[in-house]
Amino acid sequence: MNVTTPLSQDVINSLTINDQILITGKIYTGRDAALPKLIELYEQGRLAENGISLTGGVIFHTAVSDAGIGPTSSNKVEIEESIPLLSQAGIKIHLGKGKLSDATVAALKAHGSVFAVTPPASALLTAKMTHKRVAAFPEEGIEALYELTVVDFPAIIAIAHGRSIFDR
Amino acid sequence: MSKLHYDTVVDRIADTLVTASTTFTPDQMRAYAHCKAKETNPNAGWVLEKLIENAEEAEKNALPLCDDTGTPHVIIELGKDATLPGDFLPAVEAGVAEGLRRLPARAMGVLGDDKERVSQKKGLSDDPGHLAMAPLRIIAIPGNAIRVTVLMLGGGPELRGKTLRVFHKHNFQVVLDEMVAWAKEAVALLGCQPAILAFGVGRSNFEASSLALEALKNADFDVQTDVEKEITDRVNAEHIGALGLGGDTSVLATFVKIGAQRASGWRVVSLRTECCVGPRRATCEF
């Protein structure tokens, strides 16, 4: 299925676990360093003044460097802790890798968001990126909040509507 | 070592680091193709296919297999009849830094004093070459060759690694069962399956982890011992699968290096749970 950002709630409602999707449009990136800072901006009501809109957005758990992009483990403490609040703030797809806790599965369901995974295939994934810019926190270098433009970025829906692909 | 020789070593080591970071060995490609062909889970099959495509793209265009380009580790095999010039080790170190820039690697060197480096409060260096290589190991070999293997160790496997004593009860199976239990737990949490497991069994934490690294240096996906195959098969029976999505290939292969042991009721076991792009390593010879 092809999806384009910003994502509507109808699109998210139509996704189920095991769906293979291709994402096109602008997405944000962030990981251990940037996500807690992004949450601070949200809680302070300062997203707009920093030119950040999370509504219907995708956030990809990756660094951005000359070595390319690729998912980091989303179950690292600061990353997984960001998922409930950023879902509340408007993020619809959290994109990374790894099993998430039952509490996070429940939080995603409560906020109508999903978790998707993509392989650490950096040479391939980087080829899907057509533009990048630092959106915030440049002091974090490769861990800054980036805005990427991607075309047909591949992923699989792993957690949606209270169901997890990792539960077997 | 003359100036020319120093520069030659720097250049060869830099190229070796780039090769390690961008290339699967033919036996690893065969292992992936074999697993893809027999995979029964469609999503896992899709992941394996993407990993094969990624390896082809990376080798073709000399791009990093993974954006976590890893921390460089070096093993030198020194022939008993070889002469190692005094500036060889500085040349290796300079070659690693040059290779990180040539790749280019992700700039991950952390700035600051001891406390600042731990908390990462001072930020990162912009120079990929700032990432110092880990302390190196030297192994004696017959002949007069000097072989240098560069291994690039990513961060995910560090989160899932484990080095600990195991009480063997004078029964190898007891230790093996513990190794399998560790591997099942680690692979389930890895996030970048299929894993490549490396075990070292030694007398100290240092020795066991060194042996695990040596097992990765020697990794040949076409050759699996009975012990290595048993570990792989027992973890694969969990059906964690590629990227944790279920399926038949949770572990691509296992490599075990058992060293000398001492009189005691325990052994030290070290597990490195390499992710799907590992082991990124290449060797050059002087």
mmCIF file of all heavy atoms in Angstrom, chain A residues 18 20 31 62-63 65-70 73 75 97 118 120-124 142-143 154 156 165-166 168, chain B residues 43 46 50 53-54 64-67 69 104 106-107 120 124 160 190-192 239-240 243-246 276:
data_model
loop_
_atom_site.group_PDB
_atom_site.id
_atom_site.type_symbol
_atom_site.label_atom_id
_atom_site.label_comp_id
_atom_site.label_asym_id
_atom_site.label_seq_id
_atom_site.Cartn_x
_atom_site.Cartn_y
_atom_site.Cartn_z
ATOM 1 N N ASN A 18 1.210 -6.614 9.491
ATOM 2 C CA ASN A 18 1.675 -7.386 8.324
ATOM 3 C C ASN A 18 1.535 -6.629 7.007
ATOM 4 O O ASN A 18 2.034 -7.097 5.980
ATOM 5 C CB ASN A 18 0.983 -8.750 8.189
ATOM 6 C CG ASN A 18 1.313 -9.682 9.326
ATOM 7 O OD1 ASN A 18 2.481 -9.874 9.635
ATOM 8 N ND2 ASN A 18 0.292 -10.239 9.954
ATOM 9 N N GLN A 20 2.501 -4.381 4.100
ATOM 10 C CA GLN A 20 3.725 -3.781 3.559
ATOM 11 C C GLN A 20 3.345 -2.438 2.943
ATOM 12 O O GLN A 20 2.443 -2.375 2.104
ATOM 13 C CB GLN A 20 4.352 -4.698 2.508
ATOM 14 C CG GLN A 20 4.872 -6.006 3.103
ATOM 15 C CD GLN A 20 5.469 -6.942 2.067
ATOM 16 O OE1 GLN A 20 5.658 -6.579 0.917
ATOM 17 N NE2 GLN A 20 5.761 -8.165 2.487
ATOM 18 N N ARG A 31 16.179 10.263 17.512
ATOM 19 C CA ARG A 31 16.485 9.104 18.352
ATOM 20 C C ARG A 31 16.825 9.588 19.753
ATOM 21 O O ARG A 31 16.261 10.619 20.154
ATOM 22 C CB ARG A 31 17.575 8.237 17.727
ATOM 23 C CG ARG A 31 18.727 8.985 17.075
ATOM 24 C CD ARG A 31 19.750 8.048 16.510
ATOM 25 N NE ARG A 31 20.646 7.602 17.570
ATOM 26 C CZ ARG A 31 21.522 6.603 17.435
ATOM 27 N NH1 ARG A 31 21.610 5.953 16.293
ATOM 28 N NH2 ARG A 31 22.315 6.261 18.419
ATOM 29 N N THR A 62 16.185 7.154 13.528
ATOM 30 C CA THR A 62 17.468 6.989 12.852
ATOM 31 C C THR A 62 18.353 8.203 13.109
ATOM 32 O O THR A 62 17.857 9.284 13.407
ATOM 33 C CB THR A 62 17.279 6.840 11.328
ATOM 34 O OG1 THR A 62 18.559 6.660 10.701
ATOM 35 C CG2 THR A 62 16.620 8.052 10.706
ATOM 36 N N ALA A 63 19.632 8.001 12.969
ATOM 37 C CA ALA A 63 20.554 9.126 12.831
ATOM 38 C C ALA A 63 20.608 9.466 11.346
ATOM 39 O O ALA A 63 20.173 8.680 10.498
ATOM 40 C CB ALA A 63 21.930 8.736 13.345
ATOM 41 N N SER A 65 23.456 10.792 8.655
ATOM 42 C CA SER A 65 24.878 11.122 8.506
ATOM 43 C C SER A 65 25.305 10.848 7.074
ATOM 44 O O SER A 65 24.522 10.361 6.258
ATOM 45 C CB SER A 65 25.714 10.275 9.466
ATOM 46 O OG SER A 65 25.793 8.937 9.000
ATOM 47 N N ASP A 66 26.570 11.130 6.798
ATOM 48 C CA ASP A 66 27.098 10.825 5.472
ATOM 49 C C ASP A 66 27.109 9.327 5.210
ATOM 50 O O ASP A 66 27.260 8.894 4.067
ATOM 51 C CB ASP A 66 28.521 11.383 5.330
ATOM 52 C CG ASP A 66 28.522 12.902 5.296
ATOM 53 O OD1 ASP A 66 27.455 13.491 5.012
ATOM 54 O OD2 ASP A 66 29.580 13.505 5.571
ATOM 55 N N ALA A 67 26.983 8.531 6.268
ATOM 56 C CA ALA A 67 26.919 7.072 6.112
ATOM 57 C C ALA A 67 25.515 6.617 5.747
ATOM 58 O O ALA A 67 25.304 5.423 5.516
ATOM 59 C CB ALA A 67 27.388 6.382 7.395
ATOM 60 N N GLY A 68 24.567 7.538 5.725
ATOM 61 C CA GLY A 68 23.208 7.199 5.318
ATOM 62 C C GLY A 68 22.239 7.183 6.482
ATOM 63 O O GLY A 68 22.486 7.777 7.531
ATOM 64 N N ILE A 69 21.112 6.493 6.260
ATOM 65 C CA ILE A 69 20.077 6.364 7.285
ATOM 66 C C ILE A 69 19.736 4.895 7.454
ATOM 67 O O ILE A 69 19.936 4.087 6.547
ATOM 68 C CB ILE A 69 18.801 7.144 6.908
ATOM 69 C CG1 ILE A 69 18.315 6.749 5.491
ATOM 70 C CG2 ILE A 69 19.043 8.645 6.977
ATOM 71 C CD1 ILE A 69 16.981 7.378 5.100
ATOM 72 N N GLY A 70 19.240 4.563 8.633
ATOM 73 C CA GLY A 70 18.844 3.179 8.906
ATOM 74 C C GLY A 70 18.259 3.123 10.305
ATOM 75 O O GLY A 70 18.656 3.913 11.172
ATOM 76 N N SER A 73 17.253 0.735 17.229
ATOM 77 C CA SER A 73 16.288 -0.020 18.032
ATOM 78 C C SER A 73 15.321 0.933 18.719
ATOM 79 O O SER A 73 15.738 1.805 19.488
ATOM 80 C CB SER A 73 17.017 -0.873 19.076
ATOM 81 O OG SER A 73 17.806 -1.838 18.433
ATOM 82 N N ASN A 75 13.226 0.204 20.967
ATOM 83 C CA ASN A 75 12.969 -0.117 22.377
ATOM 84 C C ASN A 75 14.045 0.425 23.306
ATOM 85 O O ASN A 75 14.093 0.064 24.471
ATOM 86 C CB ASN A 75 12.776 -1.626 22.561
ATOM 87 C CG ASN A 75 13.829 -2.445 21.844
ATOM 88 O OD1 ASN A 75 14.959 -1.981 21.666
ATOM 89 N ND2 ASN A 75 13.469 -3.649 21.433
ATOM 90 N N LYS A 97 12.664 -0.218 14.571
ATOM 91 C CA LYS A 97 12.758 -1.678 14.586
ATOM 92 C C LYS A 97 12.738 -2.169 16.027
ATOM 93 O O LYS A 97 13.027 -1.409 16.950
ATOM 94 C CB LYS A 97 14.016 -2.161 13.879
ATOM 95 C CG LYS A 97 15.332 -1.741 14.489
ATOM 96 C CD LYS A 97 16.490 -2.256 13.651
ATOM 97 C CE LYS A 97 17.832 -1.668 14.077
ATOM 98 N NZ LYS A 97 18.331 -2.148 15.355
ATOM 99 N N THR A 118 11.410 -1.366 9.506
ATOM 100 C CA THR A 118 12.089 -1.455 8.220
ATOM 101 C C THR A 118 13.466 -2.056 8.458
ATOM 102 O O THR A 118 14.046 -1.858 9.531
ATOM 103 C CB THR A 118 12.166 -0.069 7.542
ATOM 104 O OG1 THR A 118 12.542 -0.204 6.181
ATOM 105 C CG2 THR A 118 13.144 0.849 8.250
ATOM 106 N N PRO A 120 17.546 -2.788 8.465
ATOM 107 C CA PRO A 120 18.709 -1.893 8.494
ATOM 108 C C PRO A 120 19.483 -1.971 7.183
ATOM 109 O O PRO A 120 20.675 -2.274 7.156
ATOM 110 C CB PRO A 120 19.519 -2.436 9.665
ATOM 111 C CG PRO A 120 19.209 -3.884 9.676
ATOM 112 C CD PRO A 120 17.775 -4.018 9.250
ATOM 113 N N ALA A 121 18.770 -1.699 6.113
ATOM 114 C CA ALA A 121 19.342 -1.800 4.766
ATOM 115 C C ALA A 121 19.728 -0.398 4.314
ATOM 116 O O ALA A 121 19.105 0.201 3.431
ATOM 117 C CB ALA A 121 18.320 -2.435 3.826
ATOM 118 N N SER A 122 20.777 0.138 4.906
ATOM 119 C CA SER A 122 21.085 1.562 4.741
ATOM 120 C C SER A 122 21.376 1.959 3.304
ATOM 121 O O SER A 122 20.983 3.055 2.863
ATOM 122 C CB SER A 122 22.259 1.948 5.631
ATOM 123 O OG SER A 122 21.886 1.862 6.974
ATOM 124 N N ALA A 123 22.089 1.117 2.576
ATOM 125 C CA ALA A 123 22.400 1.468 1.184
ATOM 126 C C ALA A 123 21.112 1.625 0.383
ATOM 127 O O ALA A 123 20.973 2.552 -0.428
ATOM 128 C CB ALA A 123 23.308 0.410 0.563
ATOM 129 N N LEU A 124 20.138 0.751 0.623
ATOM 130 C CA LEU A 124 18.846 0.827 -0.083
ATOM 131 C C LEU A 124 18.004 1.986 0.416
ATOM 132 O O LEU A 124 17.428 2.752 -0.379
ATOM 133 C CB LEU A 124 18.059 -0.465 0.136
ATOM 134 C CG LEU A 124 18.247 -1.627 -0.810
ATOM 135 C CD1 LEU A 124 17.209 -2.690 -0.510
ATOM 136 C CD2 LEU A 124 18.145 -1.180 -2.258
ATOM 137 N N ILE A 142 24.628 14.291 14.137
ATOM 138 C CA ILE A 142 23.916 13.221 13.429
ATOM 139 C C ILE A 142 22.627 12.821 14.133
ATOM 140 O O ILE A 142 21.769 12.175 13.553
ATOM 141 C CB ILE A 142 24.792 11.966 13.256
ATOM 142 C CG1 ILE A 142 25.194 11.397 14.625
ATOM 143 C CG2 ILE A 142 26.012 12.270 12.398
ATOM 144 C CD1 ILE A 142 25.827 10.029 14.556
ATOM 145 N N GLU A 143 22.508 13.227 15.407
ATOM 146 C CA GLU A 143 21.305 12.885 16.161
ATOM 147 C C GLU A 143 20.325 14.057 16.225
ATOM 148 O O GLU A 143 19.375 14.036 17.007
ATOM 149 C CB GLU A 143 21.675 12.413 17.564
ATOM 150 C CG GLU A 143 22.475 11.123 17.563
ATOM 151 C CD GLU A 143 22.503 10.450 18.921
ATOM 152 O OE1 GLU A 143 21.419 10.256 19.496
ATOM 153 O OE2 GLU A 143 23.597 10.134 19.394
ATOM 154 N N PRO A 154 10.202 1.787 2.100
ATOM 155 C CA PRO A 154 9.522 0.534 2.451
ATOM 156 C C PRO A 154 9.453 0.265 3.954
ATOM 157 O O PRO A 154 10.405 0.523 4.682
ATOM 158 C CB PRO A 154 10.403 -0.521 1.771
ATOM 159 C CG PRO A 154 11.776 0.069 1.795
ATOM 160 C CD PRO A 154 11.593 1.572 1.660
ATOM 161 N N ILE A 156 6.990 -2.288 7.090
ATOM 162 C CA ILE A 156 5.910 -3.228 7.408
ATOM 163 C C ILE A 156 5.255 -2.769 8.708
ATOM 164 O O ILE A 156 5.953 -2.425 9.673
ATOM 165 C CB ILE A 156 6.456 -4.667 7.553
ATOM 166 C CG1 ILE A 156 6.913 -5.195 6.188
ATOM 167 C CG2 ILE A 156 5.411 -5.588 8.157
ATOM 168 C CD1 ILE A 156 7.471 -6.605 6.231
ATOM 169 N N ILE A 165 2.806 -7.618 15.852
ATOM 170 C CA ILE A 165 3.358 -8.697 15.049
ATOM 171 C C ILE A 165 4.354 -9.536 15.860
ATOM 172 O O ILE A 165 4.659 -10.669 15.518
ATOM 173 C CB ILE A 165 4.054 -8.073 13.811
ATOM 174 C CG1 ILE A 165 4.055 -9.010 12.618
ATOM 175 C CG2 ILE A 165 5.449 -7.601 14.119
ATOM 176 C CD1 ILE A 165 4.482 -8.322 11.315
ATOM 177 N N PHE A 166 4.831 -8.931 16.965
ATOM 178 C CA PHE A 166 5.832 -9.617 17.783
ATOM 179 C C PHE A 166 5.206 -10.567 18.798
ATOM 180 O O PHE A 166 5.910 -11.308 19.466
ATOM 181 C CB PHE A 166 6.702 -8.588 18.512
ATOM 182 C CG PHE A 166 7.429 -7.661 17.572
ATOM 183 C CD1 PHE A 166 7.039 -6.337 17.429
ATOM 184 C CD2 PHE A 166 8.494 -8.120 16.817
ATOM 185 C CE1 PHE A 166 7.710 -5.486 16.564
ATOM 186 C CE2 PHE A 166 9.166 -7.280 15.939
ATOM 187 C CZ PHE A 166 8.768 -5.959 15.811
ATOM 188 N N ARG A 168 3.571 -13.802 19.690
ATOM 189 C CA ARG A 168 3.336 -15.120 19.082
ATOM 190 C C ARG A 168 3.188 -16.158 20.172
ATOM 191 O O ARG A 168 3.778 -16.054 21.214
ATOM 192 C CB ARG A 168 4.495 -15.509 18.154
ATOM 193 C CG ARG A 168 4.474 -14.742 16.843
ATOM 194 C CD ARG A 168 5.569 -15.208 15.925
ATOM 195 N NE ARG A 168 6.875 -14.811 16.379
ATOM 196 C CZ ARG A 168 7.438 -13.618 16.119
ATOM 197 N NH1 ARG A 168 6.789 -12.736 15.410
ATOM 198 N NH2 ARG A 168 8.627 -13.317 16.583
ATOM 199 N N ASN B 43 6.668 -12.014 5.149
ATOM 200 C CA ASN B 43 7.317 -10.791 5.619
ATOM 201 C C ASN B 43 8.807 -11.013 5.860
ATOM 202 O O ASN B 43 9.643 -10.167 5.521
ATOM 203 C CB ASN B 43 6.658 -10.290 6.907
ATOM 204 C CG ASN B 43 5.311 -9.641 6.648
ATOM 205 O OD1 ASN B 43 5.029 -9.228 5.528
ATOM 206 N ND2 ASN B 43 4.477 -9.568 7.673
ATOM 207 N N TRP B 46 10.541 -11.102 2.642
ATOM 208 C CA TRP B 46 10.714 -9.736 2.118
ATOM 209 C C TRP B 46 11.939 -9.085 2.764
ATOM 210 O O TRP B 46 12.745 -8.438 2.092
ATOM 211 C CB TRP B 46 9.452 -8.929 2.406
ATOM 212 C CG TRP B 46 9.487 -7.493 2.003
ATOM 213 C CD1 TRP B 46 9.206 -6.978 0.772
ATOM 214 C CD2 TRP B 46 9.796 -6.367 2.842
ATOM 215 N NE1 TRP B 46 9.320 -5.607 0.794
ATOM 216 C CE2 TRP B 46 9.682 -5.203 2.044
ATOM 217 C CE3 TRP B 46 10.147 -6.231 4.186
ATOM 218 C CZ2 TRP B 46 9.915 -3.923 2.543
ATOM 219 C CZ3 TRP B 46 10.384 -4.954 4.685
ATOM 220 C CH2 TRP B 46 10.269 -3.825 3.868
ATOM 221 N N LYS B 50 15.413 -7.830 0.955
ATOM 222 C CA LYS B 50 15.931 -6.458 1.063
ATOM 223 C C LYS B 50 17.386 -6.472 1.549
ATOM 224 O O LYS B 50 18.200 -5.632 1.129
ATOM 225 C CB LYS B 50 15.081 -5.614 2.022
ATOM 226 C CG LYS B 50 13.663 -5.381 1.552
ATOM 227 C CD LYS B 50 13.627 -4.622 0.241
ATOM 228 C CE LYS B 50 12.263 -4.644 -0.396
ATOM 229 N NZ LYS B 50 12.293 -4.379 -1.837
ATOM 230 N N GLU B 53 19.492 -7.377 -1.412
ATOM 231 C CA GLU B 53 19.572 -6.219 -2.314
ATOM 232 C C GLU B 53 20.483 -5.142 -1.730
ATOM 233 O O GLU B 53 21.241 -4.487 -2.452
ATOM 234 C CB GLU B 53 18.174 -5.638 -2.552
ATOM 235 C CG GLU B 53 17.262 -6.511 -3.388
ATOM 236 C CD GLU B 53 15.840 -5.955 -3.477
ATOM 237 O OE1 GLU B 53 15.620 -4.800 -3.061
ATOM 238 O OE2 GLU B 53 14.968 -6.694 -3.929
ATOM 239 N N ASN B 54 20.378 -4.971 -0.422
ATOM 240 C CA ASN B 54 21.213 -3.967 0.251
ATOM 241 C C ASN B 54 22.701 -4.305 0.102
ATOM 242 O O ASN B 54 23.523 -3.427 -0.175
ATOM 243 C CB ASN B 54 20.835 -3.902 1.729
ATOM 244 C CG ASN B 54 21.556 -2.807 2.470
ATOM 245 O OD1 ASN B 54 21.443 -1.632 2.132
ATOM 246 N ND2 ASN B 54 22.324 -3.181 3.484
ATOM 247 N N PRO B 64 28.095 2.114 2.864
ATOM 248 C CA PRO B 64 28.018 1.323 4.094
ATOM 249 C C PRO B 64 26.813 0.382 4.097
ATOM 250 O O PRO B 64 25.713 0.777 3.704
ATOM 251 C CB PRO B 64 27.879 2.392 5.182
ATOM 252 C CG PRO B 64 28.449 3.631 4.596
ATOM 253 C CD PRO B 64 28.117 3.567 3.126
ATOM 254 N N LEU B 65 27.042 -0.843 4.545
ATOM 255 C CA LEU B 65 25.944 -1.803 4.673
ATOM 256 C C LEU B 65 24.909 -1.302 5.669
ATOM 257 O O LEU B 65 23.711 -1.559 5.518
ATOM 258 C CB LEU B 65 26.486 -3.150 5.143
ATOM 259 C CG LEU B 65 27.255 -3.961 4.104
ATOM 260 C CD1 LEU B 65 28.218 -4.920 4.782
ATOM 261 C CD2 LEU B 65 26.277 -4.724 3.209
ATOM 262 N N CYS B 66 25.376 -0.622 6.703
ATOM 263 C CA CYS B 66 24.489 -0.094 7.745
ATOM 264 C C CYS B 66 24.980 1.296 8.118
ATOM 265 O O CYS B 66 26.190 1.551 8.101
ATOM 266 C CB CYS B 66 24.511 -1.012 8.963
ATOM 267 S SG CYS B 66 23.495 -0.416 10.334
ATOM 268 N N ASP B 67 24.046 2.193 8.447
ATOM 269 C CA ASP B 67 24.472 3.552 8.791
ATOM 270 C C ASP B 67 25.152 3.605 10.142
ATOM 271 O O ASP B 67 25.894 4.543 10.429
ATOM 272 C CB ASP B 67 23.298 4.530 8.716
ATOM 273 C CG ASP B 67 22.347 4.385 9.873
ATOM 274 O OD1 ASP B 67 21.964 3.234 10.179
ATOM 275 O OD2 ASP B 67 21.984 5.399 10.485
ATOM 276 N N THR B 69 27.981 2.574 11.327
ATOM 277 C CA THR B 69 29.170 1.990 10.700
ATOM 278 C C THR B 69 30.084 1.308 11.708
ATOM 279 O O THR B 69 31.030 0.648 11.303
ATOM 280 C CB THR B 69 29.929 3.078 9.913
ATOM 281 O OG1 THR B 69 29.959 4.281 10.672
ATOM 282 C CG2 THR B 69 29.223 3.354 8.596
ATOM 283 N N PRO B 104 32.405 7.433 3.856
ATOM 284 C CA PRO B 104 32.735 7.920 5.181
ATOM 285 C C PRO B 104 31.875 7.224 6.222
ATOM 286 O O PRO B 104 30.714 6.895 5.973
ATOM 287 C CB PRO B 104 32.359 9.407 5.095
ATOM 288 C CG PRO B 104 31.200 9.436 4.143
ATOM 289 C CD PRO B 104 31.434 8.308 3.173
ATOM 290 N N ARG B 106 29.935 7.084 9.968
ATOM 291 C CA ARG B 106 29.133 8.017 10.754
ATOM 292 C C ARG B 106 30.055 8.655 11.795
ATOM 293 O O ARG B 106 30.804 7.936 12.477
ATOM 294 C CB ARG B 106 27.994 7.261 11.438
ATOM 295 C CG ARG B 106 26.906 8.137 11.964
ATOM 296 C CD ARG B 106 25.636 7.347 12.183
ATOM 297 N NE ARG B 106 25.684 6.550 13.389
ATOM 298 C CZ ARG B 106 24.687 5.747 13.762
ATOM 299 N NH1 ARG B 106 23.617 5.616 13.017
ATOM 300 N NH2 ARG B 106 24.778 5.055 14.874
ATOM 301 N N ALA B 107 30.014 9.959 11.898
ATOM 302 C CA ALA B 107 30.873 10.656 12.870
ATOM 303 C C ALA B 107 30.323 10.433 14.271
ATOM 304 O O ALA B 107 29.354 11.073 14.669
ATOM 305 C CB ALA B 107 30.932 12.141 12.532
ATOM 306 N N GLN B 120 27.768 12.489 27.237
ATOM 307 C CA GLN B 120 27.641 12.997 25.857
ATOM 308 C C GLN B 120 27.161 14.450 25.860
ATOM 309 O O GLN B 120 26.502 14.893 24.923
ATOM 310 C CB GLN B 120 26.709 12.108 25.031
ATOM 311 C CG GLN B 120 27.044 12.065 23.534
ATOM 312 C CD GLN B 120 26.306 10.977 22.796
ATOM 313 O OE1 GLN B 120 26.367 9.819 23.173
ATOM 314 N NE2 GLN B 120 25.618 11.325 21.732
ATOM 315 N N LEU B 124 29.382 15.774 19.664
ATOM 316 C CA LEU B 124 30.156 14.837 18.849
ATOM 317 C C LEU B 124 31.134 15.585 17.960
ATOM 318 O O LEU B 124 30.904 16.727 17.567
ATOM 319 C CB LEU B 124 29.202 14.019 17.970
ATOM 320 C CG LEU B 124 28.067 13.280 18.675
ATOM 321 C CD1 LEU B 124 27.160 12.616 17.646
ATOM 322 C CD2 LEU B 124 28.607 12.252 19.642
ATOM 323 N N ARG B 160 22.945 -6.287 23.247
ATOM 324 C CA ARG B 160 22.467 -7.676 23.450
ATOM 325 C C ARG B 160 23.585 -8.642 23.787
ATOM 326 O O ARG B 160 23.355 -9.849 23.852
ATOM 327 C CB ARG B 160 21.750 -8.162 22.183
ATOM 328 C CG ARG B 160 20.713 -7.200 21.634
ATOM 329 C CD ARG B 160 19.657 -6.857 22.644
ATOM 330 N NE ARG B 160 18.815 -5.758 22.154
ATOM 331 C CZ ARG B 160 18.133 -4.934 22.942
ATOM 332 N NH1 ARG B 160 18.185 -5.067 24.259
ATOM 333 N NH2 ARG B 160 17.390 -3.975 22.439
ATOM 334 N N LEU B 190 16.976 -8.377 19.687
ATOM 335 C CA LEU B 190 17.984 -7.730 18.842
ATOM 336 C C LEU B 190 17.404 -6.623 17.958
ATOM 337 O O LEU B 190 17.935 -5.522 17.897
ATOM 338 C CB LEU B 190 18.698 -8.779 17.983
ATOM 339 C CG LEU B 190 19.805 -8.251 17.081
ATOM 340 C CD1 LEU B 190 20.920 -7.643 17.909
ATOM 341 C CD2 LEU B 190 20.344 -9.368 16.183
ATOM 342 N N GLY B 191 16.353 -6.933 17.230
ATOM 343 C CA GLY B 191 15.783 -5.933 16.321
ATOM 344 C C GLY B 191 16.317 -6.017 14.910
ATOM 345 O O GLY B 191 15.699 -5.512 13.981
ATOM 346 N N CYS B 192 17.483 -6.619 14.724
ATOM 347 C CA CYS B 192 18.096 -6.718 13.394
ATOM 348 C C CYS B 192 18.377 -8.170 13.043
ATOM 349 O O CYS B 192 19.487 -8.514 12.618
ATOM 350 C CB CYS B 192 19.403 -5.936 13.339
ATOM 351 S SG CYS B 192 19.172 -4.177 13.196
ATOM 352 N N HIS B 239 11.386 -19.331 16.055
ATOM 353 C CA HIS B 239 10.663 -18.615 14.988
ATOM 354 C C HIS B 239 10.520 -17.120 15.295
ATOM 355 O O HIS B 239 9.462 -16.526 15.092
ATOM 356 C CB HIS B 239 9.295 -19.252 14.740
ATOM 357 C CG HIS B 239 9.396 -20.658 14.215
ATOM 358 N ND1 HIS B 239 9.829 -20.953 12.947
ATOM 359 C CD2 HIS B 239 9.179 -21.847 14.833
ATOM 360 C CE1 HIS B 239 9.856 -22.276 12.784
ATOM 361 N NE2 HIS B 239 9.475 -22.836 13.915
ATOM 362 N N ILE B 240 11.618 -16.535 15.768
ATOM 363 C CA ILE B 240 11.656 -15.066 15.952
ATOM 364 C C ILE B 240 11.657 -14.408 14.574
ATOM 365 O O ILE B 240 10.920 -13.462 14.330
ATOM 366 C CB ILE B 240 12.913 -14.674 16.761
ATOM 367 C CG1 ILE B 240 12.862 -15.327 18.154
ATOM 368 C CG2 ILE B 240 13.045 -13.154 16.864
ATOM 369 C CD1 ILE B 240 14.210 -15.446 18.821
ATOM 370 N N LEU B 243 14.002 -9.606 11.297
ATOM 371 C CA LEU B 243 13.444 -8.366 11.844
ATOM 372 C C LEU B 243 12.424 -8.649 12.957
ATOM 373 O O LEU B 243 11.618 -7.790 13.295
ATOM 374 C CB LEU B 243 12.811 -7.524 10.726
ATOM 375 C CG LEU B 243 12.863 -6.001 10.860
ATOM 376 C CD1 LEU B 243 14.280 -5.502 11.064
ATOM 377 C CD2 LEU B 243 12.249 -5.323 9.652
ATOM 378 N N GLY B 244 12.439 -9.861 13.483
ATOM 379 C CA GLY B 244 11.517 -10.231 14.547
ATOM 380 C C GLY B 244 10.097 -10.444 14.078
ATOM 381 O O GLY B 244 9.160 -10.481 14.878
ATOM 382 N N LEU B 245 9.925 -10.632 12.771
ATOM 383 C CA LEU B 245 8.576 -10.715 12.205
ATOM 384 C C LEU B 245 8.067 -12.149 12.107
ATOM 385 O O LEU B 245 7.038 -12.390 11.493
ATOM 386 C CB LEU B 245 8.568 -10.070 10.807
ATOM 387 C CG LEU B 245 9.010 -8.613 10.756
ATOM 388 C CD1 LEU B 245 9.005 -8.094 9.325
ATOM 389 C CD2 LEU B 245 8.113 -7.747 11.633
ATOM 390 N N GLY B 246 8.791 -13.093 12.731
ATOM 391 C CA GLY B 246 8.429 -14.500 12.613
ATOM 392 C C GLY B 246 9.146 -15.117 11.430
ATOM 393 O O GLY B 246 9.757 -14.421 10.620
ATOM 394 N N CYS B 276 22.204 -8.424 11.409
ATOM 395 C CA CYS B 276 22.119 -9.032 10.083
ATOM 396 C C CYS B 276 23.177 -8.542 9.096
ATOM 397 O O CYS B 276 23.403 -9.196 8.078
ATOM 398 C CB CYS B 276 20.720 -8.817 9.504
ATOM 399 S SG CYS B 276 20.247 -7.077 9.443
#
